[in-house]
Amino acid sequence: MTVGISLTNGKEAIVIADSRSTASNGGRQSDSAEKLLHYQGKNYHGFLLETGSATYTEATYAQVKGSSYDSLDHLVAAVKSIYGGIFDRNDQAYLESQKKEIEKKAALIDKEEERTRYVAQEIERLMHMFGTRKSEPAYNSHFAAAGYDANANRVRLFWINENVVTELQMPYVLIGSGSDSAHLYFTAKLQGTKKETLTKEELYFYALNAHSFATLNAGVGGTPLIGITDAEKSRLVVPERTIAAVNISGAYLAEGHDGLTGKRTKNYVAEVLEDRNPGYKAIAKELGLTIETLTTLVIPYSSWQERANRQLFPTKARN
């Protein structure tokens, strides 16, 4: 079901979404989904994030992009309404098609009493299957929004599904199957921290590390998308910078590079995400990579950890 993350200090925010998605026709997954949608209104701007069914995402985003909203509150309310309508219509179509199949089969039963009993049993079974189906990631989506609201003079975070919009007062919003690992990281590392004290560099550092932890969950993967929002604008980070930042985070968490301290990691990540000409050569050397690998190939955190563990616990060759 993937993961979506946003972390804010109230004035700035970073959003990260992986690119793995499932299709609603059977749960096959793809690593090419674009789950961040940039939005811009007269008094607000930011990003929508989504995890779950690619079918629902594309349909919801298509309608959102084709409309304009006079406030951030109206935008997130529209996302709930649009997705809720798509969700309900899909449910209704599914139930009607299954009911027709039951009726077709029942028509083959001559005795009315047996036919009635068969239909009742199959409808009961259908309701059980329907309840199970609704809990599966392939048939659901969850949305989040991180946007700067000029009227409120701050970044606002929202959690959205087909029934409700919830504005969050905590410094982060998490959605998707990888959210438990990301939440564990934030809980451990942000204990006692007020979001107003977090610097932009720390937002990048903690959000990227939470994303790296989230990749340990099944269903999280692919090349992520990163967006950055402040009072002036929102922008998507280009792929080479995103990939480099993710690799720096994974290498740092694996603790396999003595020179890659927390402070240096923060500086490297900020340099990659912000500077006009990042020092890729020095960073690649620190990580033991070529510049091409650093900026074009996402190395999962688990692979960095395995590499570090092999160095820490070398395996003796057997004769």
Side-chain angles (χ1 to χ4, degrees), residues 94-106:
Y94 170 79
L95 290 173
E96 289 177 353
S97 67
Q98 294 299 307
K99 185 179 178 182
K100 286 181 180 179
E101 289 298 315
I102 292 172
E103 291 171 347
K104 284 181 183 179
K105 294 177 182 179

Side-chain angles (χ1 to χ4, degrees), residues 40-287:
Q40 177 93 37
K42 183 178 180 181
N43 297 307
Y44 64 91
H45 55 266
F47 294 95
L48 287 173
L49 305 85
E50 180 277 343
T51 63
S53 167
T55 303
Y56 290 160
T57 303
E58 292 170 4
T60 301
Y61 280 179
Q63 292 190 48
V64 171
K65 287 189 288 187
S67 305
S68 60
Y69 307 96
D70 59 8
S71 70
L72 183 55
D73 291 283
H74 288 169
L75 170 68
V76 295
V79 172
K80 178 188 79 70
S81 178
I82 292 169
Y83 171 54
I86 295 170
F87 191 85
D88 289 344
R89 288 192 295 273
N90 188 74
D91 280 354
Q92 184 177 356
Y94 170 79
L95 290 173
E96 289 177 353
S97 67
Q98 294 299 307
K99 185 179 178 182
K100 286 181 180 179
E101 289 298 315
I102 292 172
E103 291 171 347
K104 284 181 183 179
K105 294 177 182 179
L108 300 174
I109 302 174
D110 293 330
K111 294 183 179 180
E112 182 177 353
E113 183 179 347
E114 293 181 5
R115 185 167 60 248
T116 301
R117 187 184 308 116
Y118 170 80
V119 170
Q121 290 173 343
E122 290 300 296
I123 291 294
E124 183 178 356
R125 185 174 66 86
L126 172 61
M127 292 298 97
H128 176 73
M129 290 175 57
F130 178 66
T132 301
R133 179 180 185 270
K134 287 176 69 70
S135 66
E136 295 177 357
Y139 302 102
N140 287 274
S141 289
H142 291 95
F143 294 84
Y148 188 87
D149 188 338
N151 293 328
N153 193 33
R154 61 183 173 87
V155 172
R156 300 171 67 193
L157 303 179
F158 298 87
W159 184 91
I160 310 162
N161 70 5
E162 72 276 12
N163 297 314
V164 66
V165 174
T166 302
E167 182 171 2
L168 304 178
Q169 302 306 317
M170 61 177 60
Y172 57 86
V173 59
L174 303 167
I175 53 176
S177 61
S179 60
D180 60 338
S181 293
H183 179 68
L184 179 62
Y185 178 82
F186 281 149
T187 300
K189 298 300 182 180
L190 298 180
Q191 283 283 354
T193 302
K194 293 183 178 180
K195 68 180 182 181
E196 295 82 5
T197 66
L198 292 171
T199 65
K200 182 166 56 176
E201 292 75 18
E202 288 171 332
L203 294 180
Y204 299 160
F205 175 77
Y206 290 121
L208 281 162
N209 290 345
H211 173 268
S212 291
F213 260 77
T215 62
L216 295 175
N217 287 64
V220 181
T223 302
L225 293 173
I226 296 178
I228 296 173
T229 295
D230 58 29
E232 295 183 0
K233 63 180 180 179
S234 299
R235 63 180 178 87
L236 275 172
V237 178
V238 298
E240 72 172 39
R241 292 174 180 261
T242 294
I243 293 170
V246 169
N247 284 332
I248 294 166
S249 170
Y252 165 74
L253 289 173
E255 300 180 338
H257 300 78
D258 293 338
L260 199 58
T261 62
K263 182 178 181 180
R264 181 169 291 184
T265 300
K266 290 176 187 177
N267 291 338
Y268 278 162
V269 167
E271 181 180 345
V272 165
L273 295 181
E274 293 285 348
D275 286 7
R276 185 180 297 274
N277 296 302
Y280 287 137
K281 184 176 181 179
I283 297 172
K285 183 178 180 181
E286 182 78 58
L287 272 59

